Amino acid sequence: MSANENNIDNELKAQLTETNKIGSGQFGSVYRVTKDHSKYALKEIQLTVTKEQLNENEKKYLRELSIMKELKNSHVVGYVMSWTTPTVIYIMMELCECDLNVLIESMTAIFKCADNVEPNHFEYFVSYHIFHEIAQGVHYIHTQTPPVMHRDLTPPNILMASDGSLKLGDFGLAKVRDKRSMTNTGGNETYIAPEVSESTSNHHYNELCDMYSLVWRYQMKVTRKGSQLRIPNESDSQRITGLRNIMNKLIHRKPNSRPDSVELLKMLSKIDKIDDKKIE
């Protein structure tokens, strides 16, 4: 790195105030920082080797950085800036201090959700709104040229901004789809699609793997298992029945039998137009 780049790095760090650590992991830390009177999240990734000899985890963060720079949408965590030193990668982004796990825990308390008790229609409305917002974020990344696969749509990676909107975050496992599609695995085993876990050099997959992952944060039975949103099991509501039918299509084992993100938003739009007075 040149002396000029080092000067820029020092100048940027000097502008940061309120550098409070809000999280840490094996490869670095996340801070809440203030720059020019605005609050941001700053991810600090420690490099164990030179950039020419990056290990796989460090390559993951550089990949996240390159993808985040290109994504600009209200349903994706906003990229602000980044810089590097010989030993550290810094990524500054929009501050989101709540994830989907926290939101679900709050819903459990607010709606007094209990295991083995059918979720009520208020819980359904909130769950549907959350699903719709996440679907819009997935639609945005899938309709990029070329499409971006997130590959890690887990509750900790669905974040809530200060205005209450939901955003896709943590693009460390994301990939830009090439003409050959993907063969390597990635993501949390609880959420990944069958074609990803079964991936081999002769077995390819594409962004439809994300469509499968959309559903597994929802529990379509009565009993909740961990951080899951619930959809009523038995209902004469056309909206609820329609949403359950969509979710059943999304978890089809054959990728080409699942709706893509464009089809999904069209299906949800039809549900929005249903005059279902029984649940109003």
Side-chain angles (χ1 to χ4, degrees), residues 144-166:
Q144 297 302 292
T145 306
V148 173
M149 295 178 282
H150 191 284
R151 302 200 306 157
D152 197 18
L153 289 173
T154 59
N157 294 336
I158 308 298
L159 305 175
M160 177 180 282
S162 58
D163 63 359
S165 61
L166 295 175

Side-chain angles (χ1 to χ4, degrees), residues 124 128 131-132 135-136 139 208 211 214-215 238-252 255-274:
Y124 157 77
Y128 174 77
F131 181 77
H132 202 171
Q136 290 178 72
H139 173 261
L208 289 170
M211 307 309 293
L214 274 174
V215 177
Q238 294 182 55
R239 290 181 181 174
I240 294 175
T241 300
L243 182 59
R244 291 177 61 83
N245 289 339
I246 290 173
M247 290 184 167
N248 285 328
K249 292 178 180 179
L250 290 172
I251 57 174
H252 201 290
N256 291 335
S257 295
R258 298 174 203 147
D260 62 21
S261 63
V262 175
E263 294 171 315
L264 175 59
L265 289 188
K266 288 180 180 178
M267 292 175 176
L268 295 178
S269 178
K270 290 181 180 179
I271 289 180
D272 290 337
K273 295 175 182 177
I274 293 175

Side-chain angles (χ1 to χ4, degrees), residues 140-148 176-177:
Y140 171 73
I141 65 173
H142 284 188
T143 52
Q144 297 302 292
T145 306
V148 173
V176 174
R177 193 193 74 189

Side-chain angles (χ1 to χ4, degrees), residues 3 27 40 60 67 92 112 175 215 234 268 274-275:
F27 304 103
Y40 302 101
K60 181 185 80 169
I67 290 175
M92 186 181 291
K112 297 180 171 57
K175 288 280 191 178
V215 177
E234 299 294 337
L268 295 178
I274 293 175
D275 183 15

